[in-house]
Amino acid sequence: MNLLSEAAELYESSARVFEELGMRAELARCSLNLARTLFLTGEINEARLQIEKAETLFQSEGNLVATASAQVFKSQIFYLENDFATAKNLAENALEVFTKNKNLRFELFGRWLLGEIALAKNDLKRASEIFEKTLSDAENNSSSIENLCLNALGKIAVKRNKKSDAERFFRRSVKLTENTRSTLQAEEFRMAFLGDKLFPFLEISKIKLAEKDLKEAFLWLERSRSRSLLDAIETPSISADSSQHDDKIYAKIEKLRGELNWFYSRLNRNSTSGLEARKELKSLKKEVFERENQLLELERRLPKNSGTKFEFEVEDLQGRLGETVLVEYAVFDGKISAFLISQNDIQFYENIAAEKTVNEEIAQFLFQIKTARFIDKLSESNQKLALLRVIKHSQKLYDLLVKPLCLDAKKIVFVPTNQLHYLPFHALSDGNNFLIEICEIAYAPSAAVLANFFQKSGEDFHSALLVAFADEIIPNAEIEVEKIALSLTQSVKLKGKKATLKNIQQKAKGANLLHFACHAKFRPDNPLFSALNLSGENLAVRDARKIDLQNKLVVLSACETGLSKIESGEEILGLSRGFLSAGAASLILSFWTVNDDSTLLLMTDFYKNLRDGKTPSESLRSAQIQNLENHPYFWSPFFLVGG
């Protein structure tokens, strides 16, 4: 499932037990599997140590097949280090043992590795022979080796310029991957499983681009993006009263949630300093981490809906775009390209920038813009210099990512890729104006997810649920909801001790707009536990799915609510995932730590615009333009995800 950190932790803890009990054979197998896990995470030296340990133990047990399995894995490391002679020798010796002992699973792996060694040496004929024979024997015996052989044969066909053969192999690989993925119930499993299997999707997209078939190229790119999020949005979760649920598991989950909320409240209140305070903080975090892992493990056991079939139609999206242009970025071979989808056209801009260059500029831009949180401590002249530095990097990014596209649109939806997910495109400057001054801007994880947004009914936002939980750091939270309420026809306010998940669940049913003014915490170490701080508890990613958010606008007026860990396949892991998968039609989030005073002004303006009949996108744009006299740090953190 590619859940590598969890696998490594399980192997390490198991190895300690086997070693204490003197169970050498079990310890050897555990060490070998730990080595494989470390290899996949790039910890090659540690992997090598574990292989040596496993090999020594297997030899002492007289287990020839297991010893050979350790040697073939050593061969894979030598292959990675381009020592093809040593790799080939080890693999051939191991293969002889596997064949003699009729161990087909290890034999298939060894043969595939010999094929990869031949391919690396550009011996296409020999590599092709090995992969074809191994593929034939792997069918119905090892889907993972079957997939590896299909992709290898596809690569060889590309090298031989046989594009139709390459596409045939890659399509078979995709079909095999999607068939397996559809059987996995847990969303986390489906996402992790697909993470390292995107190669054939992108290769078919490249083949279609070479054939000038832009529509098919775009569809294959989309087929690799945000699939697990799309599953969650399109397929409602199994209800809590389902007979399929295990009451004992639910009881354990609720107990853990209660314990976690107690620890979270302690952490949220912990503002003391000193050695003892640091020790207490470390202890609290350890307790939290252990319970979060237990909770994840229990939730994986609950029945969930399987992966849905990908049924996205470009024509359907185009029919809903109107004046909007969708800009979807993609990375092919280290170069950023972009698809432009409008109501009547599909365009492709190839290799507009090197990804490495763009990533370096994004890092510089974000560093400069975030230092503005200290801008009031600078002299007037230094404040001007700080602004000039931000605009300089803003313009560089505009020139790299936007200018080559020759955009002429009133509304743009950006679908980012990789590090572009952290970039506020609306704060990029063409040298005269910020992009937000030129057009409306929204964001989406993928075009298929955007199409889903467009299908939602679109409320008029007359009834709002306003949630505020203030403290000395954000004293304006309650003032914010009071001012917002003045612009709304009907609103319910949950402030202070009333700001609980239970109250939110009850009151959300009658609202079509939810506004949260509180602290938020992005958890890069465990993104699914990113959360909003409420009264005595946290509202984490999974908790958002317990709230009725279908077709609602959700505004998260808090710090870093838009930050996510971006997994392979453009899967976003953070607060936004919870609210989107719960059915929100649009979501307003923040890129960084927001300023309390400027947020109060911007949100007040936003809701006045919404009251006057503007859409959420128009309202946010107008509010940001109204605050342009301030440094971009203050007006540009907020962005809209949705239609």
Side-chain angles (χ1 to χ4, degrees), residues 424-463:
F425 281 87
H426 52 280
L428 301 187
S429 171
D430 66 0
N432 297 308
N433 296 293
F434 291 107
L435 198 52
I436 196 65
E437 297 179 81
I438 301 169
C439 57
E440 279 180 54
I441 293 173
Y443 300 78
S446 72
V449 171
L450 179 66
N452 187 282
F453 289 142
F454 282 150
Q455 292 169 18
K456 296 184 185 293
S457 61
E459 303 281 358
D460 58 5
F461 312 121
H462 65 275
S463 176

Side-chain angles (χ1 to χ4, degrees), residues 440-639:
E440 279 180 54
I441 293 173
Y443 300 78
S446 72
V449 171
L450 179 66
N452 187 282
F453 289 142
F454 282 150
Q455 292 169 18
K456 296 184 185 293
S457 61
E459 303 281 358
D460 58 5
F461 312 121
H462 65 275
S463 176
L465 174 61
L466 309 177
V467 182
F469 191 65
D471 63 15
E472 64 276 4
I473 300 173
I474 51 167
N476 287 340
E478 293 192 7
I479 300 171
E480 184 177 310
V481 299
E482 292 294 344
K483 288 201 170 187
I484 288 168
L486 298 175
S487 297
L488 297 166
T489 308
Q490 181 182 335
S491 64
V492 173
K493 289 168 278 192
L494 295 175
K495 300 187 295 183
K497 292 183 179 180
K498 292 184 178 180
T500 65
L501 179 57
K502 183 179 179 181
N503 286 340
I504 292 165
Q505 286 175 285
Q506 291 174 346
K507 302 297 183 183
K509 295 173 184 176
N512 43 40
L513 184 160
L514 278 77
H515 180 98
F516 292 86
C518 55
H519 280 300
K521 177 74 173 176
F522 172 61
R523 290 278 303 280
D525 63 316
N526 210 342
L528 291 176
F529 287 95
S530 298
L532 299 174
N533 290 358
L534 301 177
S535 175
E537 60 187 331
N538 283 1
L539 192 166
V541 175
R542 284 176 168 82
D543 298 321
R545 299 177 192 179
K546 297 179 178 180
I547 306 170
D548 177 12
L549 298 176
Q550 284 296 325
N551 297 343
K552 293 175 170 57
L553 167 64
V554 179
V555 181
L556 303 184
S557 178
C559 300
E560 300 181 341
T561 52
L563 286 187
S564 294
K565 183 180 179 183
I566 309 302
E567 295 284 351
S568 295
E570 310 300 336
E571 292 286 0
I572 55 174
L573 288 178
L575 267 172
S576 59
R577 187 180 189 88
F579 286 95
L580 292 176
S581 61
S586 297
L587 189 57
I588 291 180
L589 306 156
S590 62
F591 278 115
W592 52 75
T593 303
V594 297
N595 176 273
D596 199 38
D597 293 331
S598 60
T599 298
L600 174 61
L601 290 172
L602 189 135
M603 287 297 166
T604 303
D605 290 338
F606 169 77
Y607 281 99
K608 285 177 181 175
N609 296 327
L610 205 62
R611 176 196 62 193
D612 294 340
K614 292 181 179 178
T615 66
S617 178
E618 290 172 327
S619 298
L620 183 59
R621 181 195 179 203
S622 295
Q624 288 174 327
I625 290 174
Q626 285 168 272
N627 289 275
L628 280 181
E629 71 276 5
N630 297 321
H631 189 286
Y633 168 81
F634 298 101
W635 59 261
S636 69
F638 291 101
F639 64 103

Side-chain angles (χ1 to χ4, degrees), residues 108-128:
L108 290 171
F109 181 81
R111 281 159 50 185
W112 164 77
L113 183 54
L114 283 171
E116 287 291 328
I117 292 167
L119 180 56
K121 293 164 69 175
N122 211 33
D123 186 350
L124 301 188
K125 183 174 182 297
R126 178 63 182 148
S128 186

Side-chain angles (χ1 to χ4, degrees), residues 229-236 308-312 448 452 455 581:
L229 175 59
L230 191 62
D231 290 343
I233 291 172
E234 292 186 343
T235 310
T308 56
K309 187 179 178 182
F310 185 72
E311 296 181 334
F312 169 64
N452 187 282
Q455 292 169 18
S581 61

Side-chain angles (χ1 to χ4, degrees), residues 1-3 147 173-182 184 186-202 220-229 231 307-308 310 567-571:
M1 299 298 175
N2 294 318
L3 298 171
N147 216 342
S173 173
V174 167
K175 184 178 180 181
L176 186 62
T177 294
E178 294 205 324
N179 285 345
T180 305
R181 179 183 176 276
S182 68
L184 305 174
E187 178 185 346
E188 188 181 4
F189 290 164
R190 292 197 300 273
M191 178 171 57
F193 174 76
L194 191 60
D196 68 341
K197 298 173 181 67
L198 301 175
F199 174 75
F201 295 86
L202 300 180
W220 279 98
L221 176 67
E222 270 293 302
R223 201 165 169 175
S224 70
R225 289 197 159 185
S226 297
R227 290 290 300 279
S228 296
L229 175 59
D231 290 343
T308 56
F310 185 72
E567 295 284 351
S568 295
E570 310 300 336
E571 292 286 0

